[in-house]
Structures are given as C-alpha cells and as structure tokens.
Amino acid sequence: MANKYLDFVADEHLLKCVENLHNSYLKAKENISKKTFYKNKVDTIKLIFDSKFNNLDEEEIIETEILRQIDKSINNSIGTFHEEVLGGINGYEKGELSGFDIKAEDDTLFADIKNKHNTMNSSSSESLFQKLARYADDYKLAKCYWVQILAKKSFNEKWFAEINGKEYSHSRVYKISGDQFYSLLTGKEDSFFKLYKKLPIAISDYLGSIKSENKIQENSALTEIQESISESQRSIFDQITFENYSYYLGFDRL
C-alpha cells in the first residue's frame, strides 16, 4: 500500500516525528511558570521600551515575552524533528548522544544538522569543522556534512573556511543546505518540498487522532504574576522588576 504522506519515510514514522514535536511544544508551554520565566532574569528596561514604542499594554508585552521564550525553546526541537525524519530514511539512522546527528548505516556519511545557518559563532564553527574532519579521517570512505536546514541559498559544496585566523579544509568535509541534504539522502530532488507540502496534512491527521484535552496546555507565568500584584498592588512591570532586582540599589522601594 502506497504511503499517504511521503515516499521516502513511512507514514507511521512521520506521524511519530510530528507527535514528538507536539510534545515538545506542550512541554515548552508547561515549563513557562513564573520561576522559569525569571530563570535568566527578565530585561524590564527592554519591556518598558517595547511597551511604549509598540503601543502595547503591560499584559500584552508579558504574553509576547512568554511566547518568545517558548519559541526559543521550540527552535531547538525543530532541528530534532528534521533529524528524526531523516533518520527514518532507508539506510540512515539518527545519532543518540553519539556526536553525530545523522549517519549512513554503512559509515559512508556523517552529518551535523543546524536548523538555521546563523546559529554558530566562530568557536562553535571551528569545533564543528574539527569534529567532522575527525570523522572523515576515521572513516576513509565517509563524506561529512554541516547541514543548514534553512540556508541563504541552495548548495552542496566543500567547506573551506577561515575561522579564528586559521584556514580549514578537508577533501571530504562539506556544507549543504537542507533541500540538497534531503535530496542527497532520498535520491529525490524535491523531497524537502514534498515534506513542506505534506506536513499540514500529517499534522492535522495527528491532531485529529488525539484526545482534545491533551491539545491545550497553558503556561502559568502571567497568572502567577497577576496573583502576586493582587497582594502587592504593584503594576505588572514593577512586580517583575521587584522580583528580579529587589537587591539593586533603590529597587526595594517598588
């Protein structure tokens, strides 16, 4: 029986990948309690500018900031989603705490996957090149790839780089865009496009298969802050600032 969604991974595998990502979304929302919202210190000066310059009230600003934190967490999970999908292609597997994200079962390919092209600084770029070069040296038939799922252009080329004043090159170390990498592993030129087109259908099918009570998991940060201000009579911004910076000079008077 032909697959409903994609011709390079099983329907059950794609739906499992969707399920795992959905669970990451739920976890990210659940994790935004007041404690986690404050974890890295809230930039309340920026919140004031955002509120005034964007003509948003304090509650709207906090909801936007919570969504930003959720989005930051989800970005990492999107990369994992691609790893899981690609690991379901015949002849390939996903790495599990192994130093690589995707490898060929016959050790002829190793890849490190980044969801966006601009997620690495010079130090992490240098470290990644050195890691891929070690795989290439250890496995003489292997081609090793830095995969950029969302890149500035479509490419598959040798990775020549000058990083931290040093020149790096290796005959079997490459960098490649997401569309080209999907094409490389599937042998089908438009496989990434097919994923894009079929994802909405697969997601709708998955959501329709689960119980409705499992779909909505709301964060509690704003509710907790509002409960605090009902006692303190502070504004939302003053409450957040006090709870984050009451030890700063003068801030204990908020």
Side-chain angles (χ1 to χ4, degrees):
M1 184 176 177
N3 290 353
K4 178 179 180 179
Y5 307 116
L6 301 170
D7 55 5
F8 54 87
V9 294
D11 290 346
E12 295 77 10
H13 179 77
L14 181 62
L15 290 172
K16 184 62 178 178
C17 296
V18 170
E19 178 185 1
N20 290 342
L21 185 57
H22 182 239
N23 288 335
S24 294
Y25 269 82
L26 296 181
K27 183 178 179 181
K29 291 180 181 180
E30 289 172 343
N31 280 348
I32 306 297
S33 63
K34 186 170 75 170
K35 181 178 179 181
T36 53
F37 183 57
Y38 288 171
K39 183 177 180 181
N40 295 316
K41 294 296 181 184
V42 180
D43 187 345
T44 50
I45 299 297
K46 180 179 182 297
L47 295 185
I48 292 170
F49 281 119
D50 288 346
S51 174
K52 296 301 184 183
F53 290 167
N54 295 323
N55 195 29
L56 297 172
D57 64 35
E58 294 187 353
E59 187 170 308
E60 290 173 320
I61 286 293
I62 301 310
E63 289 174 341
T64 300
E65 180 65 14
I66 289 169
L67 289 174
R68 186 194 67 79
Q69 289 194 14
I70 292 172
D71 186 64
K72 186 177 180 181
S73 173
I74 290 301
N75 278 334
N76 295 328
S77 299
I78 297 295
T80 301
F81 168 79
H82 287 291
E83 293 169 22
E84 291 176 345
V85 171
L86 292 163
I89 297 172
N90 186 42
Y92 297 91
E93 63 186 48
K94 179 181 179 293
E96 299 293 345
L97 302 176
S98 52
F100 60 83
D101 293 328
I102 293 291
K103 71 178 286 288
E105 293 175 354
D106 62 3
D107 295 331
T108 58
L109 179 147
F110 293 86
D112 192 284
I113 295 177
K114 306 297 183 188
N115 192 45
K116 293 184 178 180
H117 66 90
N118 59 349
T119 56
M120 296 195 301
N121 58 28
S122 59
S123 295
S124 55
S125 294
E126 185 174 36
S127 177
L128 176 57
F129 192 103
Q130 292 169 342
K131 181 176 75 172
L132 293 176
R134 284 195 299 272
Y135 277 119
D137 289 338
D138 291 343
Y139 299 90
K140 300 303 182 184
L141 298 179
K143 292 183 177 180
C144 301
Y145 294 86
W146 166 26
V147 184
Q148 303 169 25
I149 296 296
L150 303 178
K152 286 187 173 182
K153 61 180 182 178
S154 178
F155 60 88
N156 179 3
E157 61 194 33
K158 294 279 183 65
W159 185 7
F160 299 108
E162 183 175 325
I163 309 170
N164 293 329
K166 301 176 184 177
E167 291 186 357
Y168 287 92
S169 66
H170 192 290
S171 60
R172 287 177 286 110
V173 173
Y174 298 79
K175 59 181 181 178
I176 187 170
S177 57
D179 63 322
Q180 295 272 0
F181 192 65
Y182 267 85
S183 176
L184 179 68
L185 267 59
T186 64
K188 303 175 187 298
E189 186 173 288
D190 61 347
S191 54
F192 190 63
F193 176 72
K194 288 179 178 177
L195 175 67
Y196 168 78
K197 293 295 289 183
K198 293 296 184 179
L199 258 184
I201 301 170
I203 293 169
S204 294
D205 287 350
Y206 164 74
L207 291 175
S209 72
I210 62 176
K211 295 181 179 179
S212 59
E213 60 263 28
N214 292 333
K215 293 182 182 179
I216 301 175
Q217 298 281 352
E218 295 299 335
N219 63 76
S220 62
L222 182 57
T223 300
E224 291 180 66
I225 294 167
Q226 288 170 330
E227 289 172 353
S228 297
I229 65 176
S230 67
E231 297 179 11
S232 68
Q233 300 301 306
R234 298 185 182 98
S235 69
I236 291 177
F237 282 3
D238 280 353
Q239 185 67 34
I240 293 171
T241 303
F242 179 79
E243 292 181 336
N244 278 266
Y245 304 104
S246 61
Y247 50 81
Y248 268 26
L249 298 176
F251 283 65
D252 60 335
R253 299 198 297 269
L254 285 172

